[in-house]
Amino acid sequence: MGTGLKLRANSETRLPAYFYRLSSRAQRTYLKSDSVERFDYVPSVAARNSLDALMRVLETGNLAACTTCARALTAEVCRSLMTPPVNVEIRGVRPRNTRGELHGLFYPYDPRNRRQPYIVLWMRTAQRHDVVKPKTFVRTLMHEIGHYLDYAHLRLEDSYHTRGFFQRESSLVRALFNS
């Protein structure tokens, strides 16, 4: 399929096989996502306070308090990036199947149901029902926020797991924990 796009040649940055099955438009979105390595995000004092509160409350296993803190942190990240906030829902035990446990999901805007975008995360492991380690929980939250930011901030038509996506996710996590 000829797209007129220039693809990377070195094997270190090889594109996944499914890329070549995407439409030309989807390939352009994928490549645009891959080209953005970080967000210009500097955590505010409020974001650092929200992160600290979330880390503390996760240790208690309090679902309502965890939801409040995750929403506050998410709102601060979005505010700092001048992006409308996204709703976050925290649930108890992770669902699992033969492939593993589900850590989080991002639901984009659904025009059929007029459902606004939202994020769902689970705070307990599937098998032992242990509270997820705080840094793992925050990384999962930043992963799902990353999907939201692909749509709302970068204005991408889809959010793929590109090398750039994972770099942006890591840049958010590093900014939060190194500030």
Side-chain angles (χ1 to χ4, degrees), residues 15-82:
L15 294 166
Y18 77 86
F19 172 84
Y20 300 97
R21 294 188 300 272
L22 296 173
S23 69
S24 297
R25 187 174 180 165
Q27 286 182 356
R28 283 190 298 275
T29 299
Y30 185 100
L31 293 173
K32 183 176 179 186
S33 170
D34 202 30
S35 71
V36 180
E37 297 177 349
R38 61 185 300 277
F39 292 111
D40 291 322
Y41 174 63
V42 177
S44 64
V45 171
R48 286 194 295 273
N49 291 341
S50 294
L51 174 65
D52 291 344
L54 178 59
M55 301 289 277
R56 282 192 310 274
V57 82
L58 274 164
E59 298 290 335
T60 71
N62 182 323
L63 188 63
C66 183
T67 299
T68 299
C69 292
R71 285 178 177 167
L73 177 57
T74 301
E76 277 303 311
V77 170
C78 290
R79 188 193 61 71
S80 293
L81 292 170
M82 295 180 279

Side-chain angles (χ1 to χ4, degrees), residues 90-150:
I90 308 299
R91 296 180 184 168
V93 178
R94 292 175 177 165
R96 78 178 238 173
N97 61 22
T98 56
R99 293 175 58 199
E101 298 181 11
L102 187 57
H103 297 227
L105 287 170
F106 168 70
Y107 292 93
Y109 173 71
D110 183 351
R112 292 168 296 171
N113 301 336
R114 294 188 181 150
R115 178 90 195 227
Q116 294 302 311
Y118 67 103
I119 293 169
V120 176
L121 266 70
W122 287 269
M123 68 177 287
R124 293 187 178 277
T125 61
Q127 196 156 6
R128 295 181 42 196
H129 296 205
D130 293 334
V131 174
V132 175
K133 299 290 183 206
K135 282 191 173 183
T136 301
F137 185 88
V138 171
R139 178 166 282 282
T140 302
L141 179 59
M142 292 304 111
H143 179 95
E144 302 308 332
I145 289 172
H147 283 301
Y148 170 67
L149 293 172
D150 278 359

